[in-house]
Amino acid sequence: MGVGWWRLIGAALAGMLFFHGFCSSEKAPNYTFMKQATSAPYISYYDYIIIGGGTAGCPLAATLSQNYSVLLLERGGSPYGNPNITDLGAFGAALSDLSPKSPSQRFISEDGVINARARVLGGGSCLNAGFYTRASTDYVKEVGWDGRLVNESYGWVEKLVAFEPPMKQWQTAVRDGLVEVGVVPNNGFTYDHMYGTKVGGTIFDADGHRHTAADLLEYANPSGLTVLLHANVHKILFRIKGKARPLAHGVNFRDASGIKHKAYLKIGSGNEIIVSAGALGSPQLMMLSGVGPAEHLKAHNITVVLDQPMVGQRMSDNPMNAIFIPSPLPVEVSLIQVVGITHFGSYIEAASGANFAGGSQSDKKDFGMFSPQTGQLSTVPPKQRTPEAIAKAVETMSSLDEAAFKGGFILEKVMGPISTGHLELRSRNPSENPSVTFNYFKEPQDLQRCVEGIKIIEKVIDSTSFSKFKYDYLSVPTLMNMTASSPVNLLPRHDNSSTSLEQYCKDTVMTIWHYHGGCQVGSVVDHDHKVLGVDALRIIDGSTFNYSPGTNPQATVMMLGRYMGVKILSERLASDEPK
Ligand SMILES: Cc1cc2nc3c(=O)[nH]c(=O)nc-3n(C[C@H](O)[C@H](O)[C@H](O)COP(=O)(O)OP(=O)(O)OC[C@H]3O[C@@H](n4cnc5c(N)ncnc54)[C@H](O)[C@@H]3O)c2cc1C
Ligand SMILES: *[C@@H]1O[C@H](CO)[C@@H](O)[C@H](O)[C@H]1NC(C)=O
Ligand SMILES: *[C@@H]1O[C@H](CO)[C@@H](O)[C@H](O)[C@H]1NC(C)=O
Ligand SMILES: *[C@@H]1O[C@H](CO)[C@@H](O)[C@H](O)[C@H]1NC(C)=O
Ligand SMILES: *[C@@H]1O[C@H](CO)[C@@H](O)[C@H](O)[C@H]1NC(C)=O
Ligand SMILES: *[C@@H]1O[C@H](CO)[C@@H](O)[C@H](O)[C@H]1NC(C)=O
Ligand SMILES: *[C@@H]1O[C@H](CO)[C@@H](O)[C@H](O)[C@H]1NC(C)=O
Ligand SMILES: *[C@@H]1O[C@H](CO)[C@@H](O)[C@H](O)[C@H]1NC(C)=O
């Protein structure tokens, strides 16, 4: 094997999801309520002000607009008409785009893992791999949600944005392999969470076009909703009178020209500000507004409204580890379609890569999920990842043999996880990423779940069902050595990176972008998502999760936006009982 395997893998990874065939024909819907923040008045008044037009914020705003005036403030732009968002084949493009206008904002956790957060209307649902799958009924019970309303809310979401994926040869082989090695029963296609192997839903339709949380705004009452794009919220404003609880009553935001605007709640009991800025944005904005650990806020010269030491605590990211398997046969391009739900707390999923399209497609420089541009797993060692080095790697990949691009990943994600970390401000600038630590594998149980998950992947690779997509002469240890030899993130490599499963988990850990926490139910908000210790303020998004729901969270994040919207309405309108 004269060719450096790391180079071939990098090239193969780079070729993943890079293919032709889909074009952007999605038209912007007729959203008369969607405007640039530059057109907003200096001061305005609403019944509800929602901060963050993301995966939870959009369904929430659509629902509340039925009966109240709602302002939805989103720091990013519109997802419509941008092929980097709407086309399945462009998965890596948005994540690779590091410009200030990009719909994704890269961050690197203190753990050294490269990660991304959304900056666009529709939030993470505009960037993600599309897998759509519900939380288990046990999860719903443990959280204390109303199961009937949960099911109705999932249905409301699914009607507009969830589809059955096309099952082609490679994904089918992974599914059959999982069943063959005992991840049973085979549950067929279902949104439901149950032990065994299943085909889940996707937010990509049959033409490979993405449907996002922003599409849920089609449910809105246009006369009850204002959506402002490029509206960056700097602060939640509180009224503090004597010893009474601080009352949230307005927000400061800046438009794309840097002009400052204020929006206030109309006078009326029950009117509220709702933070849906995501697991990084929500704890960050709470701190910038004076609700957080007092000493930390004082160190940044922020006036303390409420000393709340739990804001920014218990941040978690589910570790993901993968093995790359080059294929002798051509494979379809697929994002996640199949999942094996094991009894030991890890989920097995898979994505397959393109046969390098070449030609005019190479001008697009879109090399997919694991390209040198997205950073997680690449051919350029982390410390040398200068723009020039990355450009050179891209060029090298473009000229590599087509064979290098056949193959796919089987990955495992650790449930939970149990390990947690924390988030801190770096500055008072809301556009600058806070510093985040996830402490991957700090708890031994998370590491054990990873090891067990990798063992299942090994068996699937060696299964009869999968055999035609694997070279006979590449044994599992060789495949692992190939993956471990390719630089992953900013993590150190050891001699035993591929010989010890524990070390493999630690050295090749990536994110599957399901990070959550920071404003958890029970410590920062109550069961109705009301912020403890202040009035007229809720938080509704992934920052409130104690545990990531389902095998992948987006279905439940969208469901939660709808669910809480219906609950809030029914609390206020006795005549508006959920059907
Ligand atoms: C690359 C990637 C792949 C993924 N793959 C999958 C998958 O296949 N399946 C799955 O189920 N899940 C997947 N996920 C996870 C899922 O998409 C997220 O968990 C979910 O989108 C989080 O929703 P949220 O509402 O909590 O936050 P977000 O959707 O991030 O929404 C927060 C919004 O708030 C805005 N905001 C933040 N701060 C401010 C401010 N100060 N002012 C104004 N606006 C602000 C942001 O711009 C953003 O639009 C993936 C995520 C990523 C990034
Ligand atoms: C968009 O909606 C507005 C108001 O609801 C309507 O007047 C207009 O005709 C619509 N335009 C299109 C192209 O459907
Ligand atoms: C709330 O909105 C719904 C849908 O627009 C409507 O049917 C209902 O009558 C409204 N309720 C009240 C009390 O306004
Ligand atoms: C798509 O992403 C690429 C980088 O990956 C970027 O150069 C290009 O400008 C983006 N296109 C749009 C429409 O944002
Ligand atoms: C919700 O739907 C699931 C199937 O998707 C079902 O198992 C469960 O019983 C339903 N819950 C309620 C309360 O209806
Ligand atoms: C806080 O204010 C003090 C006094 O004005 C100043 O010296 C210090 O640099 C400020 N710290 C920050 C983080 O802004
Ligand atoms: C792993 O690959 C490297 C080259 O990348 C090689 O030096 C090493 O011997 C291999 N180890 C095993 C255990 O195969
Ligand atoms: C792998 O080797 C390193 C030293 O290179 C050692 O510290 C570590 O404990 C080893 N890991 C395992 C799981 O044995």
Side-chain angles (χ1 to χ4, degrees), residues 86-101:
T86 54
D87 297 357
L88 189 152
F91 179 83
L95 294 178
S96 320
D97 184 356
L98 302 183
S99 74
K101 286 193 169 156

Side-chain angles (χ1 to χ4, degrees), residues 66-67 573 575-576:
Q66 292 306 323
N67 301 91
L573 308 165
S575 58
D576 190 26

Side-chain angles (χ1 to χ4, degrees), residues 134-135 137 140 145-152 154 158 190-193:
R134 294 183 176 191
T137 45
V140 171
W145 288 330
D146 166 354
R148 191 178 55 102
L149 182 55
V150 163
N151 281 0
E152 282 173 12
Y154 277 127
E158 284 152 17
T190 177
Y191 295 140
D192 290 344
H193 186 98

Side-chain angles (χ1 to χ4, degrees), residues 325-336:
I325 311 117
S327 167
L329 294 180
V331 301
E332 76 268 17
V333 173
S334 65
L335 292 176
I336 295 161

